[in-house]
C-alpha cells in the first residue's frame, strides 16, 4: 500500500500533457470483442483499470500485447463467455463485455459488479435494454446469465442517462439484425468516441453525442486502428490545481470542447483560461470567488469533477452550494476535507461549502478515484504536510499524478507504507 505525501504552499507552473481517457479507452478496448482480428489502439493510458480490462479480454480468449501507450488486441480467438467475479469486482466497467459477448457468441456469463463507495451502481438499465434486443437474462449466484439467438434491433428508452449502459447497447446493437433507436442516451465525449470507433470498424451509428442514437445493425465488424481521446477529467483536475495554487499551467493535448461546463465554472471563480492551438493555459487569480455547481449528465457539470471543485470552493471567498445529482453517496471526501479544516455541511445530496482562509495538512484516507484526487489537491494548498493513504484508488484513474504535479513544482512524492 502506498501513500502520497504533499508539502503544501507551492504555486504550480509549467506544462503538462494530459493522458488518454480511462473512460474512453475501456469501452473501446472491449469493442475488440466484436471483431475477429487484431485491433491497434494508441494513447492508451497506464492505469490499473486498463490493466484489469486487458486481463479480462485475455481471460475471454483474446491475445493482448502492449508497448508503451500502444495496445494490440486480437479477438479472433475469443471463445469463452465468462467474466469472473475476481476480475469484475476490481473493475465494475467489466459489465461492458455483456453486449459484445452476446453479439459475438450469443452467450455471456458476467459477475454482477456490486456497489462501490459512491453508490449502489445497479446495472438494471443495461439488462432491460439487452432483453429488448432479444437476450434472455437470468441472475443466478451473483452472475448475469445471458443468451440469445441473433440480437434483433429495438427501440430503447433509458429511464436514467447511463454512460456505460449506452455504450453496452451501442456495441450490442452494432451487430444486431435490423435497426435500433436509443432514446435518452448518454452524450458524453467517451460515448461519441466509442461510436466513431465502431463506425470505423464498419458499424452504422448516427446521432452519437445527442440524446437519440440510431444504429443500423451490420453482419460483421472488422479490426481497426484508433487513438484514445484525452482525459477531460484529468485535464479538469489540473485546471483546479492551477486555480487552487494561483499557478500558471499549460495543459497540452486536451480538448476544450469536452470541458465546456468546467471551463465556464472555473472562469466564474476568477481563473483566467486561454485556449490556443498548443492547449489550454490556466492561471489562478489572486482570490477565488465562490460559485454554485450542480452535477448533471454531459454537457452539464461532470460528477467526476465534483470533489475537485469542492476543494477549490473550500478556500474560496464566500459560500458555495454543491448538488450531486448523479450518485447517491459521492460526498465521502467531505469528512476527510473537514479534517484538514474545510467548513462543509451536507444535507442529502447538497453540500454547503463555506470558504476558509487556510487548510492544515493531516493524514487523510482516499475512498474512491476522484475523492483521492481531491485530497491530493487539498494537500497542494494545505499548510504543512498531508499524507493521502490508500492511493490505489488514485492509480485506477490517474497516470503518475504525483510525478506530473512534481514536474509542475509541487513538493509531492510517493512512499511505500
Ligand atoms: C460512468 O459510470 C463513468 N465510468 C463514471 O466514472 C462516471 O462517474 C459516470 O459514468 C457518470 O458520468 C465509466 O465510464 C467507466 P452511469 P457509469 O451508468 O456508466 C444509475 C470514474 O471516476 N444507473 O452513467 O457506471 C447510476 O446508479 C467513474 O471514472 C442505474 O440506476 O454511470 C447513477 O446514479 C466513476 N441503472 C446514474 O444512473 C443502471 O443500469 C448514472 O450512472 C445504470 C446506471
Amino acid at each position: 500500500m502506498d501513500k502520497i505525501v504533499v508539502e503544501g504552499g507551492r504555486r504550480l507552473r509549467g506544462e503538462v500533457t494530459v493522458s488518454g481517457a480511462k473512460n474512453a479507452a475501456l469501452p473501446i478496448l472491449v469493442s475488440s470483442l466484436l471483431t475477429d482480428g487484431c485491433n491497434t489502439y494508441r494513447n492508451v493510458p497506464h492505469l490499473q483499470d486498463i490493466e484489469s480490462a486487458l486481463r479480462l479480454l485475455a481471460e475471454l480468449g483474446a491475445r493482448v500485447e502492449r508497448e508503451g501507450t500502444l495496445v494490440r488486441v486480437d479477438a479472433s480467438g475469443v471463445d469463452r463467455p465468462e467474466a469472473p467475479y475476481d476480475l469484475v469486482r476490481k473493475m465494475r466497467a467489466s459489465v461492458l463485455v455483456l453486449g459484445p459477448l452476446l453479439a459475438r457468441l450469443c452467450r455471456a456469463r458476467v459477475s454482477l459488479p456490486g456497489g462501490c463507495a459512491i453508490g449502489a451502481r445497479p446495472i438494471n438499465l443495461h439488462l432491460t435494454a439487452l432483453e429488448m434486443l432479444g437476450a434472455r437474462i437470468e441472475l443466478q449466484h451473483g452472475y448475469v446469465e445471458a443468451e440469445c439467438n441473433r440480437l434483433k434491433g429495438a427501440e430503447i428508452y433509458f429511464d436514467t442517462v447511463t454512460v456505460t449502459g449506452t455504450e453496452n447497447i451501442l456495441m450490442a446493437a452494432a451487430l444486431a439484425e435490423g435497426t435500433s433507436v436509443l432514446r435518452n442516451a448518454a452524450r458524453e465525449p467517451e460515448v461519441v468516441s466509442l461510436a466513431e470507433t465502431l463506425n470505423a470498424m464498419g458499424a452504422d451509428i448516427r446521432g452519437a453525442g445527442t440524446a437519440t442514437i440510431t444504429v443500423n445493425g451490420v453482419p460483421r465488424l472488422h479490426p481497426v486502428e484508433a487513438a484514445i481521446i484525452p482525459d477531460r477529467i484529468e485535464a479538469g483536475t489540473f485546471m483546479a490545481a492551477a486555480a487552487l495554487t494561483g499557478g500558471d499551467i499549460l495543459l497540452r493535448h486536451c480538448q476544450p470542447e469536452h470541458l465546456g461546463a468546467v471551463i465556464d465554472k472555473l472562469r466564474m471563480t476568477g481563473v483566467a483560461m486561454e485556449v490556443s492551438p498548443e492547449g489550454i493555459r490556466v492561471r489562478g487569480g489572486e482570490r477565488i470567488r465562490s460559485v454554485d455547481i450542480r452535477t448533471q449528465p454531459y454537457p452539464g457539470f461532470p460528477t467526476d469533477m465534483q470533489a475537485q471543485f469542492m476543494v477549490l470552493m473550500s478556500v474560496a471567498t464566500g459560500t458555495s452550494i454543491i448538488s450531486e445529482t448523479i450518485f447517491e453517496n459521492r460526498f465521502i471526501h467531505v469528512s476527510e476535507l473537514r479534517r484538514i479544516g474545510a467548513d462543509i455541511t451536507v444535507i442529502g445530496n447538497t453540500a454547503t461549502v463555506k470558504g476558509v482562509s487556510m487548510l492544515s495538512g493531516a493524514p487523510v484516507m482516499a475512498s474512491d478515484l476522484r475523492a483521492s484526487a481531491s485530497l491530493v489537491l487539498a494537500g497542494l494548498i494545505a499548510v504543512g504536510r498531508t499524507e493521502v493513504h490508500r492511493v490505489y484508488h488514485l492509480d485506477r484513474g490517474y497516470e503518475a499524478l504525483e510525478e506530473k504535479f512534481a514536474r509542475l513544482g509541487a513538493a509531492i512524492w510517493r512512499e511505500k507504507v
Side-chain angles (χ1 to χ4, degrees), residues 67-96:
E67 293 161 41
T69 57
L70 187 121
V71 168
R72 287 192 187 86
V73 182
D74 181 339
S76 46
V78 167
D79 55 4
R80 289 193 291 280
E82 177 159 342
Y85 173 67
D86 70 317
L87 279 177
V88 176
R89 71 182 174 79
K90 288 195 190 91
M91 203 237 343
R92 44 175 298 95
S94 309
V95 289
L96 282 168

Side-chain angles (χ1 to χ4, degrees), residues 28 38-42 70 72 197 200-201 222-227:
I28 285 174
C38 184
N39 300 268
T40 304
Y41 304 110
R42 294 189 307 282
L70 187 121
R72 287 192 187 86
T197 304
M201 293 155 74
H222 56 73
V224 73
E225 278 213 20

Side-chain angles (χ1 to χ4, degrees), residues 55 58 74-75 94 100 102 127-128 162 193 247 257-259 270 298 301-302 308 335 341 357 362 365 416:
R55 251 200 320 279
D74 181 339
S94 309
L102 279 171
L127 303 181
T128 306
T162 163
S193 77
E257 64 274 18
H258 293 165
L259 280 156
Y298 192 88
F301 191 92
Q308 299 91 312
S335 51
S357 55
M365 192 75 77
K416 287 263 175 257

Side-chain angles (χ1 to χ4, degrees), residues 22-24 26-27 49 91-96 116 118-128 158 160-167 186 188 190 231-233 296-298 302-304 325-328 330 368-370 396-397:
K22 166 177 84 82
N23 292 350
L26 291 174
D49 272 11
M91 203 237 343
R92 44 175 298 95
S94 309
V95 289
L96 282 168
C116 72
I118 63 178
R121 312 294 295 277
I123 60 167
N124 58 306
L125 299 175
H126 298 237
L127 303 181
T128 306
F158 290 104
T160 306
V161 174
T162 163
V163 174
T164 50
T166 301
E167 292 165 346
E188 273 69 3
E190 294 76 25
D231 192 317
R232 61 194 168 99
I233 303 303
Q296 293 288 341
Y298 192 88
T303 174
D304 292 348
T325 71
I326 306 294
F327 290 112
E328 69 268 26
R330 203 167 196 174
D368 68 270
L369 169 51
R370 306 306 172 182
R396 290 189 48 200

Side-chain angles (χ1 to χ4, degrees), residues 177-201:
E177 190 178 344
T179 298
S180 299
V181 179
L182 284 61
R183 291 196 172 83
N184 199 25
R187 300 164 55 187
E188 273 69 3
E190 294 76 25
V191 172
V192 174
S193 77
L194 172 65
E196 288 171 349
T197 304
L198 290 169
N199 282 343
M201 293 155 74

